[in-house]
Amino acid sequence: AQCWQGRLILRRGVAQPIGMDLVIPGSTELLSRGRILVSQLVSTQSFAPLRPGLGGMRAAFDSEKLGAKPLLRSARPGDRFQPLGMRGKKKLSDFLIDSKYPRILRDEVLVVESKGEIAWVVGLRSGHPFRVRTDSRQIAVLEFSPIASG
């Protein structure tokens, strides 16, 4: 059990590790987590209206830097990445501590990795090398959300 942001989190066991290729554009279901990751490619002209909706579980990347088949995986001990806006790399564990992310949920943290580098700590921060730049030709928009029940 752990208190976080005025809530009591109760938990038994640990989350099963995840590792799967993403296809961009496309969608990937994580049935074990009740989530879906939807990705799309947009032109730089179409990106401006989407920009205000970014943050949290929705992020944008330079599609050339991200590549066509990044990996969605669980965080691993020793992971390092360069958070958006920072100059150097940081241990993912230190980043989670600094972000005051609850220890009890850290085994549920997912990352999007491309060519051995973390592009996105899902829901928390993008990787600086993958940011959308003025010279980006195409933009990959990824959104992580609950699977709609129907």
Side-chain angles (χ1 to χ4, degrees):
Q2 183 177 355
C3 287
W4 180 56
Q5 295 183 344
R7 291 182 278 185
L8 178 63
I9 302 169
L10 298 173
R11 180 136 179 235
R12 180 183 298 195
V14 295
Q16 292 298 313
I18 290 176
M20 58 183 55
D21 290 327
L22 299 176
V23 178
I24 299 176
S27 62
T28 304
E29 289 186 3
L30 283 82
L31 297 176
S32 64
R33 305 261 178 116
R35 300 256 175 205
I36 187 167
L37 191 138
V38 178
S39 61
Q40 60 180 321
L41 292 175
V42 298
S43 66
T44 53
Q45 295 83 7
S46 304
F47 180 62
L50 298 175
R51 190 180 287 269
L54 296 176
M57 293 297 192
R58 191 174 199 205
F61 307 91
D62 182 311
S63 67
E64 286 181 31
K65 302 275 186 196
L66 191 59
K69 289 192 177 184
L71 175 68
L72 175 67
R73 66 169 176 82
S74 299
R76 298 180 191 136
D79 274 344
R80 298 177 71 83
F81 84 116
Q82 183 181 359
L84 184 64
M86 289 187 72
R87 289 184 183 223
K89 289 194 173 196
K90 184 172 196 143
K91 280 185 173 179
L92 180 56
S93 59
D94 291 343
F95 172 78
L96 294 172
I97 290 167
D98 293 349
S99 300
K100 298 182 177 18
Y101 198 80
R103 179 183 306 264
I104 197 169
L105 298 178
R106 290 185 192 160
D107 64 332
E108 294 183 10
V109 171
L110 297 175
V111 299
V112 174
E113 174 188 294
S114 179
K115 300 172 193 122
E117 281 192 83
I118 294 177
W120 187 26
V121 180
V122 177
L124 296 173
R125 182 81 62 93
S126 298
H128 193 77
F130 300 90
R131 71 194 181 281
V132 174
R133 301 164 45 125
T134 56
D135 62 346
S136 296
R137 294 193 300 227
Q138 198 169 42
I139 297 153
V141 178
L142 279 61
E143 184 168 6
F144 201 70
S145 57
I147 295 175
S149 57

